[in-house]
Amino acid sequence: MVKTSTLQDVARVAKVSTATVSRTLSNPDVVSESTRRRVSEAVKVTGYRINRAARNLRTQRAHSVLVLLPDLTNPFFSTILEGISRHLSQQGYSMLIASTEQVHASGERLIDYLDDARADGMIVLDGGLDPDVVEMLENAPQAKRILFACEWVDGATFASVRCQNRQGTRAAVNHLFDLGHRNIAHVTGPVGNVLMQARKDAFVDETKKLGLILRPEWLIAGDFSLAAGCLAAQAWIAMHNRPTAVFCASDQLAMGFISELSRHDFKVPKDVSVMGFDDIDLAEQFIPPLTSVRQDRLLIGETAAKMLMARVKTPGDDQLEHAAVIPVSLVTRESTAAPK
Amino acid sequence: MVKTSTLQDVARVAKVSTATVSRTLSNPDVVSESTRRRVSEAVKVTGYRINRAARNLRTQRAHSVLVLLPDLTNPFFSTILEGISRHLSQQGYSMLIASTEQVHASGERLIDYLDDARADGMIVLDGGLDPDVVEMLENAPQAKRILFACEWVDGATFASVRCQNRQGTRAAVNHLFDLGHRNIAHVTGPVGNVLMQARKDAFVDETKKLGLILRPEWLIAGDFSLAAGCLAAQAWIAMHNRPTAVFCASDQLAMGFISELSRHDFKVPKDVSVMGFDDIDLAEQFIPPLTSVRQDRLLIGETAAKMLMARVKTPGDDQLEHAAVIPVSLVTRESTAAPK
DNA sequence: ATAAGTAATGTAATCGATTGCAGAAATACA
DNA sequence: TGTATTTCTGCAATCGATTACATTACTTAT
């Protein structure tokens, strides 16, 4: 370990007590103008840097937050992380990252991160946690410092940040309807996923409300991935009476779908309109550019961080915001058009 | 803060000293079988969890590593992070994430992360640090605990993990040559980037070695992004004597390139062969599936973490591995074919 | 002039785990 | 049995910052 100077060193140089130095740095108003100057000078001279381990021990705060992802390799999360990190670093907090899988594999329990003073709070981006893990988290005394973002757990009482999945789906269906489509299929997300369920339910409701026919086979089971999109396309191709439009529960699905279609010489949107959900970066550059439902991932991240910080900082049960909903918007591009 | 039990509590229950409890947990061999059992029992009873802040303070170790990215939103890094995280968590270390931009914006200095006991080491995935930041890092006493991965800084002496950029480029050029291409263009990365330079130099060398003509305008300046790929495609379209193959310095460039071409009714690989570098997840699903140079990003991450941990753990200047090179491999798909 | 109040600073305990050193107990050896 | 050696355990200092409480030096009011 490299020796850096401590509060003691600064105190010696400034000819004050360590208490005064500490106060000068964390609460300058309570010290006099003259000592404030002397201390600042001494800090500069000694090159003092606070030792966070020491502060963390004394204040019983880790000054960092754990972000839990289902899977680090999923690019969907990167912008959300950016949003989280932006707010945290502004507050002097650090961002720890871990994946559900790895925590599990290492034999640790999730709650340990909070118990052993590694993190003050937790932002969970994974709605698919094991039910017993969820139960443990819910019953933990630190449950208030756990927040779900994007995904959530049905029936659980954690604070959360969510997107308007229902409204987004409604906008998507109406967009297709307005273009003239009457036979619309839906490629869903993975079984058991809350987003998949929310979007699927909204899709069923909205098609019903518009008086559209919805054949059972038009609800094609997928899992948000490119590969599932390809399979869904094969299912679509095999249909006798092909729907003229397909609403996919994610952009990746939509891309896989279109990709597979083009291998079979179908054209989008000429032969079928396809749209996604998320508006990932690539959507705009895809061929054809993808019509999608945009989620402001930066805002999701920032909101999540902000809400969590409020919880971490107020020990009491004050009037804390418990659920934030982030608006979505329809982005119309070239993968959707009127049916022929 | 939620009250968790401490070493003291365990010691009381097990009727031993805190020293013994500590030893039982961190170095079980030195305590007797019987006390080991008593302590384990007491740990279970009390639900003891180590307080990392306390341990970090005492041991002068943060037990965490900072990973510095140029930009959190770039999906290229996610798999590398997975690799890093995998090794770190296995060693009981945590992974902190920050972006160059944000550290800068928050007015902190990079070295502070090491100075203030927040992190024991640093993995930098950004070769584009300001020269004065680089200089400061190099002169810091902790310079040995800084490691560059993927990118690096020319002339600096940091440990690093790199890919075979030269060999990968050579393989790419030879692949195109073997298909029969004699006029090959190169879309480069961003100016000043070390990867861009390495790949460009290798490209120039290899075409020369093969006795190919290389017109100046066939070196098209890009920046690894989709958008730059589009622009490069426009440049290609505008050429009088169009090269029959284009080697892009990244997959994103290649995708942008192909995407723009298709908007102008050119077909890949019929009208021009295009290939990328990186083999990102989407490459396989792109239309057409992209020929690329594969980098094992998981291995890059794991290697980087492993090398850094070795440096963090050995205080001496032992025989530490200083530079690792990760092999790349050519992945042939459908975006390249013989010229017509 | 004295009491009361305010502002600034210092003293020292504290957070919880680790570890050098010393002592006790157990074992080996002569 | 006595001594040397090994094995195990405990005592107490330590890491570096924070903060309750005490103290001192001033101001202001009466």
Side-chain angles (χ1 to χ4, degrees):
Chain A
M1 199 62 189
V2 178
K3 188 70 191 165
T4 61
S5 47
T6 70
L7 264 195
Q8 297 253 20
D9 300 325
V10 178
R12 201 173 312 121
V13 171
K15 300 197 198 311
V16 294
S17 70
T18 60
T20 300
V21 178
S22 176
R23 281 190 285 252
T24 307
L25 296 175
S26 57
N27 197 5
D29 296 341
V30 304
V31 304
S32 73
E33 168 70 22
S34 70
T35 53
R36 206 183 308 154
R37 264 206 307 274
R38 280 227 307 293
V39 170
S40 311
E41 183 59 27
V43 165
K44 212 170 288 171
V45 169
T46 55
Y48 170 77
R49 292 281 128 196
I50 195 173
N51 182 311
R52 293 194 178 228
R55 180 181 59 174
N56 290 351
L57 173 59
R58 179 59 228 233
T59 60
Q60 303 284 41
R61 285 267 167 84
H63 293 96
S64 63
V65 163
L66 175 72
V67 179
L68 189 73
L69 307 175
D71 160 19
L72 276 174
T73 64
N74 188 332
F76 177 74
F77 298 111
S78 48
T79 310
I80 298 176
L81 292 185
E82 168 82 22
I84 294 173
S85 167
R86 209 177 268 191
H87 187 79
L88 289 184
S89 76
Q90 198 182 295
Q91 303 277 313
Y93 271 62
S94 310
M95 180 171 76
L96 283 167
I97 306 266
S99 72
T100 315
E101 213 180 333
Q102 256 169 50
V103 171
H104 187 77
S106 72
E108 280 187 307
R109 300 174 321 156
L110 218 35
I111 198 73
D112 286 350
Y113 278 84
L114 301 181
D115 267 346
D116 66 12
R118 243 182 307 181
D120 298 323
M122 208 157 104
I123 296 177
V124 184
L125 296 173
D126 183 358
L129 295 183
D130 280 351
D132 42 339
V133 171
V134 170
E135 194 188 326
M136 183 228 288
L137 291 179
E138 258 193 308
N139 294 328
Q142 308 98 331
K144 266 173 290 175
R145 293 187 273 121
I146 298 173
L147 180 145
F148 278 69
C150 282
E151 305 201 353
W152 63 93
V153 176
D154 270 329
T157 55
F158 300 107
S160 67
V161 176
R162 310 180 187 186
C163 278
Q164 296 178 320
N165 289 289
R166 171 163 290 277
Q167 286 91 328
T169 303
R170 192 180 303 158
V173 174
N174 278 289
H175 166 67
L176 295 170
F177 183 86
D178 292 344
L179 284 172
H181 295 279
R182 294 299 175 263
N183 298 336
I184 306 177
H186 177 46
V187 186
T188 73
V191 174
N193 179 282
V194 285
L195 300 178
M196 141 347 185
Q197 196 63 48
R199 292 172 194 172
K200 181 174 159 186
D201 289 349
F203 178 82
V204 172
D205 285 0
E206 196 60 19
T207 48
K208 187 172 294 173
K209 190 178 296 172
L210 291 171
L212 302 181
I213 299 164
L214 176 55
R215 301 210 195 163
E217 72 263 31
W218 293 356
L219 286 174
I220 307 171
D223 65 6
F224 289 150
S225 73
L226 280 164
C230 295
L231 292 176
Q234 292 166 10
W236 179 85
I237 291 170
M239 290 178 187
H240 291 297
N241 233 323
R242 296 183 187 129
T244 60
V246 179
F247 167 54
C248 298
S250 80
D251 284 350
Q252 302 235 333
L253 277 174
M255 291 178 184
F257 195 95
I258 294 175
S259 169
E260 184 70 14
L261 284 190
S262 90
R263 278 190 275 276
H264 293 81
D265 285 324
F266 290 94
K267 297 278 174 251
V268 174
K270 201 165 67 81
D271 299 321
V272 55
S273 284
V274 178
M275 59 178 297
F277 203 111
D278 292 345
D279 193 30
I280 63 177
D281 295 343
L282 197 69
E284 190 175 358
Q285 302 295 332
F286 200 71
I287 312 171
L290 210 61
T291 295
S292 190
V293 178
R294 177 164 165 65
Q295 303 192 46
D296 189 338
R297 314 214 308 278
L298 204 59
L299 185 62
I300 295 172
E302 284 180 335
T303 308
K306 209 173 291 179
M307 281 175 63
L308 185 64
M309 288 304 285
R311 286 162 172 267
V312 165
K313 288 189 169 169
T314 69
D317 296 12
D318 307 42
Q319 306 296 39
L320 291 169
E321 188 179 11
H322 191 266
V325 177
I326 307 297
V328 300
S329 59
L330 184 73
V331 180
T332 309
R333 297 206 184 89
E334 298 164 34
S335 67
T336 51
K340 6 174 216 192
Chain B
M1 200 61 188
V2 178
K3 188 70 193 166
T4 61
S5 47
T6 70
L7 265 194
Q8 298 252 22
D9 300 325
V10 179
R12 201 173 310 122
V13 171
K15 298 198 200 311
V16 293
S17 69
T18 60
T20 299
V21 178
S22 175
R23 281 188 285 253
T24 308
L25 296 175
S26 55
N27 197 5
D29 296 340
V30 305
V31 304
S32 73
E33 168 70 23
S34 71
T35 53
R36 207 183 309 155
R37 265 206 307 273
R38 280 227 309 292
V39 171
S40 310
E41 184 58 30
V43 164
K44 212 170 287 173
V45 169
T46 56
Y48 170 76
R49 291 281 129 195
I50 194 172
N51 182 311
R52 294 195 177 226
R55 180 180 62 174
N56 291 350
L57 173 60
R58 177 61 228 230
T59 60
Q60 304 284 39
R61 284 267 168 86
H63 293 96
S64 64
V65 163
L66 174 72
V67 179
L68 189 74
L69 308 175
D71 161 20
L72 240 42
T73 64
N74 188 332
F76 177 75
F77 298 111
S78 48
T79 311
I80 298 177
L81 292 184
E82 168 83 22
I84 294 173
S85 168
R86 208 175 269 188
H87 187 79
L88 289 184
S89 77
Q90 197 182 295
Q91 303 278 312
Y93 271 60
S94 310
M95 181 172 76
L96 284 167
I97 305 265
S99 73
T100 316
E101 214 180 333
Q102 254 169 54
V103 171
H104 187 75
S106 72
E108 281 187 307
R109 299 174 321 156
L110 218 36
I111 198 72
D112 286 350
Y113 278 83
L114 301 181
D115 268 345
D116 66 12
R118 243 183 307 181
D120 297 324
M122 207 157 105
I123 295 177
V124 184
L125 296 172
D126 181 359
L129 295 183
D130 281 349
D132 43 337
V133 171
V134 170
E135 195 189 324
M136 184 229 287
L137 291 179
E138 258 194 307
N139 294 327
Q142 307 98 330
K144 265 173 289 175
R145 290 187 275 122
I146 298 174
L147 180 144
F148 277 70
C150 281
E151 305 201 353
W152 63 91
V153 176
D154 271 328
T157 54
F158 299 107
S160 66
V161 176
R162 311 180 186 185
C163 277
Q164 296 178 321
N165 288 290
R166 170 163 290 278
Q167 287 91 327
T169 302
R170 192 181 301 158
V173 174
N174 278 288
H175 166 66
L176 295 171
F177 183 87
D178 292 345
L179 285 172
H181 294 279
R182 295 298 176 265
N183 298 336
I184 307 176
H186 177 44
V187 185
T188 73
V191 175
N193 180 281
V194 286
L195 300 177
M196 139 350 184
Q197 196 63 49
R199 291 171 195 173
K200 181 174 159 188
D201 289 349
F203 178 81
V204 172
D205 285 0
E206 196 62 18
T207 49
K208 187 173 292 173
K209 192 178 292 172
L210 291 171
L212 303 181
I213 298 165
L214 176 55
R215 299 210 197 166
E217 73 263 29
W218 292 357
L219 286 174
I220 306 171
D223 66 4
F224 290 150
S225 74
L226 280 165
C230 295
L231 292 176
Q234 291 167 9
W236 179 85
I237 291 170
M239 290 179 189
H240 290 298
N241 231 324
R242 297 180 186 130
T244 60
V246 180
F247 168 54
C248 298
S250 80
D251 283 351
Q252 302 236 333
L253 276 174
M255 291 178 183
F257 195 96
I258 294 174
S259 168
E260 184 68 15
L261 284 189
S262 91
R263 278 191 275 275
H264 292 83
D265 286 323
F266 290 94
K267 299 275 176 255
V268 174
K270 197 163 71 67
D271 299 320
V272 56
S273 284
V274 179
M275 59 178 297
F277 203 112
D278 293 345
D279 193 31
I280 62 177
D281 296 343
L282 196 70
E284 191 174 357
Q285 304 294 332
F286 200 71
I287 312 169
L290 209 61
T291 295
S292 189
V293 178
R294 179 165 162 64
Q295 302 192 48
D296 189 336
R297 313 214 309 278
L298 204 59
L299 185 61
I300 295 173
E302 283 181 336
T303 307
K306 209 172 292 177
M307 281 175 63
L308 186 65
M309 288 305 284
R311 289 166 168 267
V312 165
K313 288 188 169 168
T314 69
D317 296 10
D318 306 44
Q319 306 296 40
L320 290 168
E321 189 177 11
H322 190 265
V325 176
I326 307 297
V328 300
S329 58
L330 184 74
V331 181
T332 308
R333 298 206 184 87
E334 296 164 35
S335 67
T336 50
K340 4 174 216 196

